[in-house]
Amino acid sequence: PSLIPIETNSKYPPLLQGLSLKNVSIRILDNAGKTIYSDFGEMMFTHFGITGPLILSASAHIPDINRVSYEAQIDLKPALDEEILRARIAREVAEMGPEEFFAELVRRLVPKPLVVPICKELDVHSRLYISKVSDKEFERLIKVLKRWSFPITDYASFDYAIVTAGGVKCSEVNEYTMESKLIKGLYFAGEVLDIDANTGGYNLQIAFSTGHLAGLLKK
């Protein structure tokens, strides 16, 4: 399966089901800590994990999902590096009264549905007075905002896949006619070929174009 939602064993997606996040970035890391994919765009939480254009595109770059451990790191503030974000938080805190709650600070930084989950992830009570929040807790907040981690456990059910990966090697097909180079008179088109592209209509275009060429049945 390719271009498919991703399952995670994180406890937060079911709490955030239906929430769409725009202008976030994501990194997919393997178990060696190597970034195998990164991008910027829109994603959404589901009852079983994460989806949306950003996640669908990322899924095509996650091989051996049952043999290698992967994690998705979401950057909720991709336009701000950690130093600028630290200064932003300091400004927000300076504007708040000492008896305002930590949740109010988080609400100034992220959409409201994320406030409680982020407080839980930090293990900081949402009603902790802002004056009682330690520097270490502020640093953990920055880490979560920039690198909120979701362990990847599997692809979603194959029924959710937009396209499939794998198929007949393109090197074994005449690109001008779609005829097999190995068996005369045999033509291929669409997803039966080992070709899949990002979401956005590209796979439909591949199907239309290769189908048209194959249908001409050129010698």
Side-chain angles (χ1 to χ4, degrees):
S2 188
L3 302 186
I4 188 169
I6 292 171
E7 292 185 357
T8 173
N9 58 11
S10 169
K11 61 186 177 183
Y12 301 114
L15 304 176
L16 297 168
Q17 182 178 354
L19 175 65
S20 179
L21 299 178
K22 297 181 179 180
N23 302 320
V24 298
S25 65
I26 190 171
R27 290 197 305 156
I28 305 296
L29 287 78
D30 62 18
N31 52 7
K34 178 183 178 182
T35 299
I36 63 168
Y37 181 82
S38 62
D39 203 358
F40 173 89
E42 182 177 352
M43 61 163 288
M44 185 174 73
F45 293 99
T46 72
H47 65 284
F48 56 78
I50 47 181
T51 188
L54 192 56
I55 305 303
L56 296 178
S57 294
S59 71
H61 299 268
I62 306 175
D64 303 320
I65 200 167
N66 295 314
R67 297 195 299 112
V68 179
S69 298
Y70 296 96
E71 69 173 88
Q73 285 188 353
I74 300 171
D75 185 345
L76 297 169
K77 292 292 181 182
L80 307 178
D81 62 27
E82 289 194 12
E83 186 173 343
I84 294 175
L85 180 56
R86 189 174 290 110
R88 161 79 185 278
I89 290 173
R91 288 198 304 272
E92 296 290 356
V93 171
E95 294 175 1
M96 297 173 66
E99 294 188 353
E100 286 193 74
F101 298 135
F102 178 69
E104 174 57 29
L105 169 64
V106 179
R107 176 62 187 91
R108 295 182 181 206
L109 300 169
V110 299
K112 186 176 180 180
L114 290 177
V115 173
V116 171
I118 286 179
C119 289
K120 288 181 180 294
E121 177 71 4
L122 294 170
D123 195 24
V124 175
H125 199 289
S126 61
R127 289 180 173 268
L128 179 67
Y129 291 142
I130 197 68
S131 59
K132 301 292 185 181
V133 181
S134 67
D135 290 341
K136 185 178 293 186
E137 287 165 334
F138 283 128
E139 288 301 312
R140 280 164 43 209
L141 172 60
I142 291 170
K143 180 181 178 182
V144 169
L145 291 175
K146 296 296 291 180
R147 297 184 298 279
W148 197 3
S149 179
F150 292 81
I152 296 172
T153 54
D154 205 348
Y155 304 119
S157 166
F158 212 117
D159 294 340
Y160 287 96
I162 295 176
V163 296
T164 56
V168 177
K169 292 181 181 178
C170 293
S171 61
E172 297 177 355
V173 178
N174 184 325
E175 63 187 281
Y176 298 103
T177 65
M178 294 293 107
E179 184 179 22
S180 170
K181 294 178 181 179
L182 304 181
I183 302 177
K184 189 171 180 60
L186 178 61
Y187 295 79
F188 301 106
E191 289 183 58
V192 75
L193 295 162
D194 184 12
I195 181 169
D196 57 286
N198 284 341
T199 184
Y202 303 107
N203 293 286
L204 288 171
Q205 185 62 61
I206 289 168
F208 299 151
S209 298
T210 58
H212 176 74
L213 282 174
L216 295 176
L217 297 177
K218 292 181 179 178
K219 300 295 185 183

